[in-house]
Amino acid sequence: MKEKYKILFAVKSSLISLYIALTVPIPFISSEQLKIPSLFFFILGLFLIININSDYVETCEQKISYKTSFISRAFGKNNWEILWKEIKSIKPLQTSQGSKVFYFVDAKGRTFLVPQRIENFGIFLDKIESKTNISTEVISYISPLWTYKLLTMLSFLMIVGEIILFLV
């Protein structure tokens, strides 16, 4: 049975709302001859940011796959898949911000980034553990979920402030 794990809504909403908060004023404050092009580029950027946030993980009895959109691949993010039986270990790596990312390591030494921003993350970790017999106890979200929610809230406050300033 295939299972699909999409990117967390909190992550998607934080990135999309931040994009809108930072760019929506541009068409309104630009000169008359740049209003149409700036609106076009705003819409294009919104399409790109939504599309880039449509990556997902798919698991089945034999393998785990990471699927990206065409746009994501154009920007260098690749699809990958690994058979459960090929996973020999999970290697942690400290980030410059102080959190940890994790990589699946196969018998050939290749590494595949463990997705840490997906829905049903606990179920996903249970599946990894049951299929590989490798403990996932130390694996968690890359950032606490409240950080994404806070970014979304601040972005919405920025948008409301922009609307109020535009109407005054």
Side-chain angles (χ1 to χ4, degrees), residues 6-62:
K6 296 178 181 180
I7 292 177
L8 279 167
F9 178 76
V11 173
K12 287 181 191 181
S13 66
S14 67
L15 296 173
I16 293 168
S17 63
L18 181 62
Y19 173 80
I20 292 170
L22 294 174
T23 59
V24 80
I26 295 171
F28 297 104
I29 63 172
S30 59
S31 65
E32 208 51 49
Q33 66 261 29
L34 294 177
K35 284 195 185 298
I36 300 295
S38 64
L39 184 60
F40 169 78
F41 284 111
F42 168 76
I43 293 168
L44 176 64
L46 186 60
F47 168 77
L48 291 174
I49 200 83
I50 290 170
N51 191 282
I52 288 169
N53 277 294
S54 65
D55 298 352
Y56 63 94
V57 175
E58 194 172 80
T59 62
C60 66
E61 291 304 311
Q62 292 81 30

Side-chain angles (χ1 to χ4, degrees), residues 54-102:
S54 65
D55 298 352
Y56 63 94
V57 175
E58 194 172 80
T59 62
C60 66
E61 291 304 311
Q62 292 81 30
K63 65 184 177 182
I64 177 173
S65 306
Y66 186 82
K67 307 283 186 172
T68 62
S69 66
F70 170 76
I71 302 293
S72 290
R73 286 191 300 280
F75 284 108
K77 204 172 186 185
N78 296 317
N79 291 337
W80 58 261
E81 66 181 35
I82 185 171
L83 298 175
W84 292 115
K85 65 182 179 182
E86 292 178 345
I87 299 173
K88 298 303 175 199
S89 65
I90 297 176
K91 177 175 120 178
L93 186 66
Q94 192 81 20
T95 68
S96 60
Q97 292 83 25
S99 56
K100 284 186 181 176
V101 292
F102 296 86

Side-chain angles (χ1 to χ4, degrees), residues 93-148:
L93 186 66
Q94 192 81 20
T95 68
S96 60
Q97 292 83 25
S99 56
K100 284 186 181 176
V101 292
F102 296 86
Y103 289 89
F104 295 118
V105 181
D106 70 5
K108 297 176 185 173
R110 295 180 301 170
T111 57
F112 303 86
L113 184 64
V114 175
Q116 292 175 263
R117 293 182 179 122
I118 56 174
E119 296 173 341
N120 301 316
F121 192 57
I123 295 169
F124 176 67
L125 291 177
D126 290 343
K127 180 117 184 179
I128 292 171
E129 202 161 313
S130 71
K131 292 294 184 182
T132 64
N133 292 320
I134 299 170
S135 174
T136 59
E137 190 175 304
V138 297
I139 301 174
S140 63
Y141 287 113
I142 191 165
S143 300
L145 295 182
W146 66 265
T147 59
Y148 299 110

